[in-house]
């Protein structure tokens, strides 16, 4: 009888501990980035007010020569990344993965995509147009944007929290992060995923519906 | 103690097994089969490290951006051209299976003759019409003209 106790008890304990873990997949997505919590007084009542990290206002030009701003994405959730068309290493993988996400949500109007070029000198509007066209995507859903280089780098670093900079030692000449950033309709970052990894992009594909549900309520 | 006829039978069977089952189709030797396998396997590693980012692991390319190698008329038509493209890169519009592609392909100057031979063996062993062993001599022969052309262009640019 004794050996059965030794086996069964730990198993029961294990199951109890793990029962709490399975609930994670149904939770809402966290809001990422620095947050400021301040005490404010409203009508004599003091409470805590949280300000979350928000994507700054932006203005770019897309592959159709149209001006694209944060207004273009109002009431939408979108996935952003940083790339350049002649990138030989991670970008092709990122584009293929982003295309997967695009195909998945092609008919969902609330989901959009924003790719920024970090080589605006070479990646002209015409080139971006050709690139997007060859990838086979609609420009009203997936915007490929360009703008002043320093401005793009700055927004990448301060708003989207991803690195991008020129580096002559890197193949292609640029060192940049392969991250996909999931942004909600309030311009908060809700997820960061490595766009070169299929398992992480699978996670992004699973997370988008959770975010959509949040706004549907 | 096995009988004499038993031993003779075993000997006959062993000899016929060695000659039939260890690759003597078309006079191919056992060692050349091993060599093919080695080149093929090394070539596959080279492909995954240098080419699969764009051309994909299964060689199907990406949309109309990166051309396929699998079932590609352009690829099959001219192995010599393939060597040149791998070594020196390529720019400009090309037609693959009736679809136009126009994305620059970067050069791979760091690949040695042996590595090119291994890579080509893998490429055509996987997506060509039949498995072929490419040797270093084959590569020199195939790339001779475009290497000359390439250094001529570069020397005159200095």
């Amino acid at each position: 009888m004794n050996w059965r106790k030794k086996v069964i008890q730990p198993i029961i304990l294990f199951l109890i501990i793990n029962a709490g873990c399975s609930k994670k997949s149904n939770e809402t997505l966290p809001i990422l980035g620095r947050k400021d919590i301040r005490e404010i007084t409203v009508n004599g009542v003091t409470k805590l007010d949280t300000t979350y990290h928000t994507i700054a206002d932006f203005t770019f030009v897309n592959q159709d020569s149209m001006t694209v701003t944060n207004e273009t994405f109002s009431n939408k959730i979108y996935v952003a990344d940083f790339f350049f068309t002649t990138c030989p290493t991670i970008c092709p993988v990122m584009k293929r993965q982003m295309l997967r996400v695009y195909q998945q949500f092609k008919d969902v109007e609330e989901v959009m995509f924003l790719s920024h070029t970090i080589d605006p000198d070479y990646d002209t509007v015409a080139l971006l147009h050709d690139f997007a066209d060859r990838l086979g995507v609609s420009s009203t859903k997936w915007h490929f944007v360009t703008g002043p280089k320093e401005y793009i780098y700055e927004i990448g670093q301060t708003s989207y929290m991803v690195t991008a900079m020129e580096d002559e030692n890197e193949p292609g000449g640029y060192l940049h992060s392969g991250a996909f950033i999931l942004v909600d309709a309030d311009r908060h970052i809700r997820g960061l995923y490595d766009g070169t990894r299929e398992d992480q992009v699978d996670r992004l594909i699973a997370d988008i519906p959770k975010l959509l549900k949040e706004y549907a309520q | 103690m096995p009988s004499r006829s038993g031993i003779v039978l075993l000997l006959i069977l062993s000899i016929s097994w060695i000659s039939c089952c260890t690759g003597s189709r078309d006079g191919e030797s056992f060692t050349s089969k091993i060599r093919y396998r080695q080149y093929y396997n090394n070539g596959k590693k080279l492909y995954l490290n240098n080419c699969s980012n764009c051309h994909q692991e299964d060689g199907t390319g990406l949309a109309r951006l990166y051309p396929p190698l699998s079932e590609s008329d352009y690829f099959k038509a001219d192995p010599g051209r393939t060597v040149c493209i791998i070594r020196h890169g390529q720019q400009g519009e090309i037609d693959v299976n009736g679809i136009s592609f126009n994305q620059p392909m970067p050069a791979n100057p760091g690949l040695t003759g042996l590595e090119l031979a291994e890579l080509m063996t893998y490429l055509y062993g996987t997506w060509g019409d039949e498995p072929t062993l490419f040797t270093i001599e084959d590569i020199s022969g195939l790339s001779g003209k475009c290497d000359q052309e390439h250094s001529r262009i570069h020397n005159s640019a200095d």
Side-chain angles (χ1 to χ4, degrees), chain A residues 85-93 95-96 99 122 130-136, chain B residues 50 52-54 56 58 61-66 91 93 100-104 106:
Chain A
T85 65
T86 56
C87 160
T89 50
I90 66 174
C91 308
V93 185
K95 288 304 138 210
R96 175 160 165 260
L99 192 61
Y122 186 84
D130 187 63
F131 190 88
D133 192 40
R134 287 181 184 279
L135 199 53
Chain B
N50 294 288
S52 63
N53 274 352
C54 297
Q56 312 305 324
D58 60 5
L62 183 62
R64 284 185 295 119
L65 214 46
Y66 308 120
Q91 286 204 343
E93 201 170 344
S100 148
F101 290 86
N102 198 357
Q103 188 75 3

Side-chain angles (χ1 to χ4, degrees), chain B residues 66-157:
Chain B
Y66 308 120
L69 303 174
S70 163
E71 316 210 356
S72 159
D73 55 7
Y74 187 87
F75 170 76
K76 284 192 201 175
D78 192 343
R81 177 175 57 190
T82 305
V83 177
C84 289
I85 295 173
I86 298 174
R87 185 170 256 169
H88 301 296
Q90 183 170 267
Q91 286 204 343
E93 201 170 344
I94 63 171
D95 186 296
V96 180
N97 302 336
I99 301 172
S100 148
F101 290 86
N102 198 357
Q103 188 75 3
M105 169 157 150
N108 293 281
L111 292 178
T112 64
L114 176 60
E115 286 170 325
L116 279 171
E118 291 168 337
L119 184 53
M120 288 290 284
T121 304
Y122 173 73
L123 291 173
Y124 284 88
T126 312
W127 297 302
D129 288 319
E130 55 180 29
T132 319
L133 175 72
F134 286 85
T135 62
I136 299 178
E137 293 75 30
D138 291 331
I139 299 299
S140 302
L142 289 169
S143 69
K145 242 180 27 186
C146 63
D147 285 346
Q148 267 176 23
E149 181 66 19
H150 188 77
S151 40
R152 185 189 68 80
I153 294 173
H154 274 246
N155 289 337
S156 62

Side-chain angles (χ1 to χ4, degrees), chain B residues 22-43:
Chain B
T22 53
S24 19
R25 250 184 299 158
D26 305 324
E28 217 182 331
S29 73
F30 187 53
T31 41
S32 77
K33 256 207 152 186
I34 292 209
R35 196 170 168 213
Y36 173 81
R37 275 283 129 204
Q38 274 179 336
Y39 274 47
Y40 183 91
N41 290 337
N42 288 340

Side-chain angles (χ1 to χ4, degrees), chain A residues 107-144:
Chain A
D107 300 319
V108 181
E109 222 189 281
E110 292 84 357
V111 179
M112 289 176 73
F113 300 83
L114 179 59
S115 285
H116 310 75
T117 176
I118 58 170
D119 185 7
D121 297 330
Y122 186 84
D123 289 342
T124 59
V125 167
L127 209 107
L128 289 174
H129 181 92
D130 187 63
F131 190 88
D133 192 40
R134 287 181 184 279
L135 199 53
V137 300
S138 153
S139 56
T140 51
K141 193 172 180 80
W142 186 346
H143 296 270
F144 284 78

